[in-house]
Amino acid sequence: MKRWIPFMKSDPTVAVIRLQGVIAGGSRGTLNDQALAPVIEKAFARGKPVAVALEVNSPGGSPVQSSLIGARIRRLAEEKDIPVIAFVEDVAASGGYWLAAAADEIYADPSSVVGSIGVISAGFGAHEFLAKQGVERRVYTAGKSKSMLDPFRPENPADVERIKGLLEDIHVNFIDHVQSRRGAKLDSEAELFTGEVWLAKRANELGLIDGIGHIKPMLKDRFGDKVKFRRYGVRRPFLSRFGAQMMDDAVASVEERAAYAQFGL
């Protein structure tokens, strides 16, 4: 009842935002700016939290969605003058690390996987298979680059050079984000932007995180034993599990499993 009594100081509250899964737009991923926008906005606005904690468990995904989510977190943190602290669980790699770097501080479990500051584009080539099956591929375009990286046609060196240029530009954006957020904490002598991953102890030595720790004991130590945790996350409507959505969920689940598997998870 004391929270309703005028001038009575209430217990501090930490808003906890869960960021788990592959980062992608639409139904292809569990994390995207459209779904998270109301969650993040509410976490910063409700009840004047003393801090916002990010529980990060993501192997990455879309660089655009990572940037949009991270930028929203930073904008609200600065507007409301609320510190943001990230806690890594299994993995914060690639776009997952982009999200973690949006925080003012990053902590992880000793066995957490951190890093993968790089960009990747993967596909397949099936033109030889089609030729053996007697299938002829017919493609008509207006614009010489419109069929770039068509998996059913032989690889074009010019297309490869073009996509590598795009990847390099995105990589520069990623590096700029990490350097702007981590600043002088980063080990200036180490090669941090090769796409390599590290466990938390080494990531701490490299300046990619601020230390080893778990959310409740660390925040209780910082804000007192009476600190309260108010959790926020994306909740999918029950009925969305039926019909065509079930197929989308199945495909997304396979893709997400593959994304975590590359880090041995």
Side-chain angles (χ1 to χ4, degrees), residues 95 114 151 162 181:
V114 178
R162 191 174 295 109
R181 295 299 308 144

Side-chain angles (χ1 to χ4, degrees), residues 19 21-38 40 58 60-74 94-100 102 170 173-174 177 234:
L19 302 174
V22 173
I23 305 165
S27 62
R28 291 175 49 247
T30 54
L31 298 179
N32 57 72
D33 186 59
Q34 180 180 14
L36 282 169
I40 297 172
S58 174
S62 164
V64 174
Q65 294 300 322
S66 301
S67 179
L68 290 172
I69 296 167
R72 185 179 296 277
I73 291 170
R74 288 314 316 154
S94 195
Y97 183 71
W98 186 305
L99 298 183
I170 296 173
N173 293 339
F174 196 171
H177 171 68
V234 177

Side-chain angles (χ1 to χ4, degrees), residues 180-230:
S180 68
R181 295 299 308 144
R182 300 299 297 172
K185 295 178 180 179
L186 297 173
D187 184 338
S188 60
E189 301 297 322
E191 294 186 357
L192 302 177
F193 309 122
T194 63
E196 185 177 353
V197 296
W198 300 272
L199 291 187
K201 181 179 179 181
R202 181 57 179 152
N204 184 37
E205 295 170 349
L206 294 171
L208 293 172
I209 66 174
D210 295 284
I212 308 298
H214 297 160
I215 182 169
K216 283 194 173 181
M218 286 202 68
L219 296 185
K220 282 188 175 183
D221 182 64
R222 183 171 302 193
F223 299 112
D225 290 336
K226 293 185 178 181
V227 64
K228 297 179 179 178
F229 298 89
R230 185 171 287 144

Side-chain angles (χ1 to χ4, degrees), residues 7-189:
F7 312 115
M8 180 69 74
K9 186 177 180 180
S10 61
D11 296 332
T13 299
V14 173
V16 182
I17 303 174
R18 184 153 190 84
L19 302 174
Q20 175 168 332
V22 173
I23 305 165
S27 62
R28 291 175 49 247
T30 54
L31 298 179
N32 57 72
D33 186 59
Q34 180 180 14
L36 282 169
V39 174
I40 297 172
E41 299 278 347
K42 185 182 294 184
F44 276 93
R46 184 181 176 192
K48 296 182 180 180
V50 294
V52 169
L54 308 177
E55 288 181 328
V56 182
N57 192 0
S58 174
S62 164
V64 174
Q65 294 300 322
S66 301
S67 179
L68 290 172
I69 296 167
R72 185 179 296 277
I73 291 170
R74 288 314 316 154
R75 174 178 61 80
L76 290 168
E78 292 166 9
E79 285 180 0
K80 298 180 179 297
D81 193 25
I82 297 175
V84 180
I85 308 168
F87 293 88
V88 179
E89 295 186 350
D90 297 289
V91 58
S94 195
Y97 183 71
W98 186 305
L99 298 183
D104 300 298
E105 302 172 49
I106 307 173
Y107 297 94
D109 181 85
S111 296
S112 298
V113 177
V114 178
S116 189
I117 304 171
V119 186
I120 185 172
S121 175
F124 62 90
H127 61 284
E128 292 186 3
F129 172 79
L130 292 184
K132 290 178 180 178
Q133 301 303 314
V135 178
E136 180 184 3
R137 173 73 165 165
R138 297 173 180 174
V139 179
Y140 309 99
T141 68
K144 64 179 182 179
S145 298
K146 192 62 178 177
S147 62
M148 184 176 71
L149 300 181
D150 186 332
F152 301 108
R153 303 180 73 177
E155 197 170 54
N156 184 337
D159 290 347
V160 175
E161 191 67 24
R162 191 174 295 109
I163 194 66
K164 285 184 176 180
L166 293 175
L167 296 178
E168 288 292 338
D169 289 344
I170 296 173
H171 194 200
V172 169
N173 293 339
F174 196 171
I175 294 171
D176 288 346
H177 171 68
V178 173
Q179 290 179 330
S180 68
R181 295 299 308 144
R182 300 299 297 172
K185 295 178 180 179
L186 297 173
D187 184 338
S188 60
E189 301 297 322

